Amino acid sequence: MHRIVSATVHPALRLILLALALCLSVTANAEEPDVRTTWRLLDYIAVDYASAVSEGSVADEFEYREMVEFSDVVARQIAALPDTKDNQALIRRSDQLRALIANKEPAERVGRLARALAASLLTAYPVPLAPSQAPDLDRARTLFAQNCASCHGAAGSAPPAAMQALDPPPIDFTDIDRARQRSAFGLYQVITQGLEGTSMASFASLSDEDRWALAFHAGSIAFEDVAKGERIWREDDGIRQLVPDLETLAALTPESLAEQIGEDRALAVIAYLRANPDAVGQANDAGSLAFVRDTLDRSLSAYRAGNREEARQLALSAYLDGFEPLEALLATRDGGLMREVEQALGQFRAGIESGADPSELQQLRARIDSLLARAEGALAPEAASEISTFLGAFTILLREGIEALLVVIAMIAFVKKSQRSEVLPYIHGGWIAALFAGVATWVVATYFVSISGASREMTEGIGALLAAVILVSVGIWMHGKSQAEEWRRYIQEKMGKALSRGSAWFLFGLAFVVVYREAFETILFYAALWNPQSSGIILAGALSAVALLALIAWAMLRYSRKLPITQFFRYSAILIAILAVILAGKGVGAFQEAGVLSATFIAGLPRLAELGFFPTVETIGAQLLTLLALIAGFRVSRSPSGPQPAAVEG
């Protein structure tokens, strides 16, 4: 497992050995051994050229002659391959690589071309690139101790003194600069064929599964942040899509992944995947009911084995990575069933948190399985009718829009009643900006990064709690202004000064927060519902909801103009207080679903998500605290000498 560098024997003898190895490979099937040998030489060039040439000058004469020789061999090997539609393009690129090396071009340029040529070679002449199943890393550690530790050291980083005298010495697998350029497939090739002219022998006598296991283990030694990599892998669906299968993982170098997701994240993800290659197979089913079932089974097994934290993480993944992506679509087909599944998954997580008896979790697991069977029927393509699609699009936008509309209309009516219509642009600017931000979120989530289930829940939770806090303040202030007609003078005379000191921007912020939260959730629902074949029906449902929302807004504004100002403030305060209580429950519920807060379920209580009422001690407690804060605030605000909230006073 040494890297290929200057020979441990005379240079001429090394070239003879290399030529002999290449000649022997020609006698085999050209479509497999020759392609693999050529790929391996390209991999060597990509990794080792930097030590041969520096800033246009030869840094190591023998290394450089080796690079020239290897590029010549690559060109000859490619020219000898069977003709395909890609053969001539490969020949041209191999000639280009040979010219770059002859001209001592920068290592970055040579490495980029060598890797691109290697990838194109495997596309044109496919050879097995990955193990048939996830390698057994436990066995790999035993194999490493038996076959590799004598040269590389037990940890792969400290070769014994006798081996350090070799030229070159055995590779240090903790060398991060070299490790970031190596794929597991490249290591597998070295383990299988050995390295000509070095003490690295072929281990072709090992089974294919064992060689792959050794490759993954050796390739994982330099990367340490497994926990961070696991967190990134679980939370970012975009990264899971970049590595959809074992073949992709085996061919992937940390360097190429870093170009797509950044250095720190790439090294952490590689650390996790090379140490846990079975995670890639699990990711294939993410966002599916099969993933939910499999992950719950693994969670239950971990719990029975006493690994409660692992069981908790797996149960959370079953919801966030498996069910949550399907939640929006199921809600449009069968909202009641969606809530049942969501609550059952929450109870499963709560059982793990509370240390429930494994038999209880097994019973709950069986109940979840029956619910998932029903969900499969509801999610089947044939279950989608035109009327259900229309109603789904209609109710989603109407439900999410009503919440935001009530707050925005109350603010518009408020400034009109206060004869401060010049600040209306701030309110309109807030909700319009929120809509644009929602569209931008959709674009980013669709084309650039994937918003994970945990991130979605956290965004919704933060938005809900922030809006609830603001609404408590606004509700208390409005209730204080509902006592008597004398407050009309306060509004007419003092609001001008108050708004000029920044409360107009406060109104902008409130409109933005409330509308963005609902826009964010609406976009997620529509993304799940969207189907090109049903696009017309979906748009019709959305436009119908917009029309009804506009009618409701017009009626509310018209009715509010007829109300005496004290009654307007009283009713508005009550409405905003109700919304604050609802949002407090929704915010805490979202944090529970993201796994940030624990959930203590109360048996026998219904789940009313639209009202923010979830049957847990934590959500009910948050709503009660919000209600108590409002009651206390209403009492204090009844006194003309009571405090005036900063939200209005600027």
Side-chain angles (χ1 to χ4, degrees), residues 328 390 392-398 442 521-531 538-539 541-543 545:
F390 175 87
F394 176 80
T395 55
I396 287 169
L397 187 54
L398 183 64
W442 173 78
E521 194 166 352
T522 301
I523 287 168
L524 296 179
F525 275 104
Y526 270 86
L529 184 65
W530 186 259
N531 185 327
I538 295 171
L539 288 175
L543 291 175

Side-chain angles (χ1 to χ4, degrees), residues 10-328:
H10 190 279
L13 179 57
R14 175 153 192 211
L15 293 179
I16 292 172
L17 291 171
L18 174 62
L20 178 61
L22 294 175
C23 288
L24 289 174
S25 70
V26 170
T27 64
N29 186 329
E31 291 186 1
E32 185 164 322
D34 277 357
V35 169
R36 289 190 174 191
T37 300
T38 305
W39 186 96
R40 186 157 59 96
L41 292 175
L42 287 167
D43 187 53
Y44 294 159
I45 291 171
V47 174
D48 286 357
Y49 180 80
S51 61
V53 174
S54 177
E55 298 182 354
S57 300
V58 174
D60 184 313
E61 182 63 36
F62 186 80
E63 287 275 3
Y64 178 67
R65 291 206 308 271
E66 189 176 66
M67 293 296 106
V68 172
E69 174 65 20
F70 285 0
S71 65
D72 288 341
V73 172
V74 165
R76 291 198 302 272
Q77 290 268 87
I78 289 177
L81 289 171
D83 286 337
T84 69
K85 61 182 179 63
D86 301 313
N87 188 255
Q88 291 304 310
L90 293 174
I91 292 173
R92 286 194 299 272
R93 295 173 82 176
S94 66
D95 289 339
Q96 183 184 1
L97 177 65
R98 187 160 48 178
L100 291 180
I101 293 175
N103 294 333
K104 306 177 185 65
E105 295 290 338
E108 182 180 352
R109 187 177 179 191
V110 171
R112 185 165 57 246
L113 179 58
R115 289 192 181 87
L117 179 56
S120 299
L121 177 67
L122 294 180
T123 301
Y125 302 94
V127 296
L129 293 181
S132 57
Q133 60 185 18
D136 183 346
L137 272 296
D138 289 332
R139 175 162 174 74
R141 283 183 279 273
T142 301
L143 290 169
F144 190 90
Q146 294 172 346
N147 299 280
C148 312
S150 59
C151 291
H152 298 277
S157 61
M163 293 298 168
Q164 292 181 8
L166 294 176
D167 182 21
I171 188 174
D172 177 359
F173 285 118
T174 64
D175 182 350
I176 193 69
D177 291 332
R178 180 166 297 281
R180 66 192 299 279
Q181 300 179 66
R182 277 281 190 238
S183 67
F185 177 66
L187 290 167
Y188 168 81
Q189 288 283 71
V190 172
I191 294 168
T192 300
Q193 299 183 15
L195 286 180
E196 301 86 354
T198 78
S199 59
M200 175 62 196
S202 166
F203 284 85
S205 58
L206 294 176
S207 68
D208 192 63
E209 291 80 4
D210 285 349
R211 280 177 276 140
W212 274 114
L214 274 174
F216 272 82
H217 174 66
S220 69
I221 292 174
F223 309 103
E224 299 178 345
D225 206 344
V226 175
K228 178 181 177 182
E230 180 178 12
R231 186 169 62 254
I232 295 171
W233 178 256
R234 290 186 183 281
E235 292 180 354
D236 195 330
D237 183 58
I239 293 179
R240 294 198 298 271
Q241 291 177 10
L242 290 176
V243 193
D245 48 43
L246 277 174
E247 183 170 317
T248 303
L249 176 61
L252 187 66
T253 65
E255 186 174 62
S256 62
L257 183 61
E259 293 173 357
Q260 301 179 75
I261 66 173
E263 181 80 6
D264 291 343
R265 286 161 59 82
L267 297 187
V269 169
I270 287 292
Y272 173 63
L273 293 182
R274 287 192 179 173
N276 300 273
D278 57 325
V280 173
Q282 297 162 15
N284 289 339
D285 291 329
S288 72
L289 299 182
F291 180 89
V292 177
R293 291 189 178 97
D294 177 67
T295 309
L296 286 177
D297 287 338
R298 292 169 57 222
S299 173
L300 188 55
S301 297
Y303 187 76
R304 284 173 169 155
N307 301 323
R308 185 181 295 186
E309 179 57 27
E310 180 183 355
R312 190 186 74 84
Q313 290 293 337
L314 287 168
L316 187 61
S317 176
Y319 170 68
L320 292 177
D321 301 325
F323 181 70
E324 207 267 355
L326 305 173
E327 191 176 273

Side-chain angles (χ1 to χ4, degrees), residues 463-476 506 510 580 583-584 626 647:
L465 290 180
L466 181 59
V469 170
I470 296 173
L471 289 177
V472 166
S473 177
V474 172
I476 292 172
F506 166 82
L510 177 58
L583 289 174
T626 305

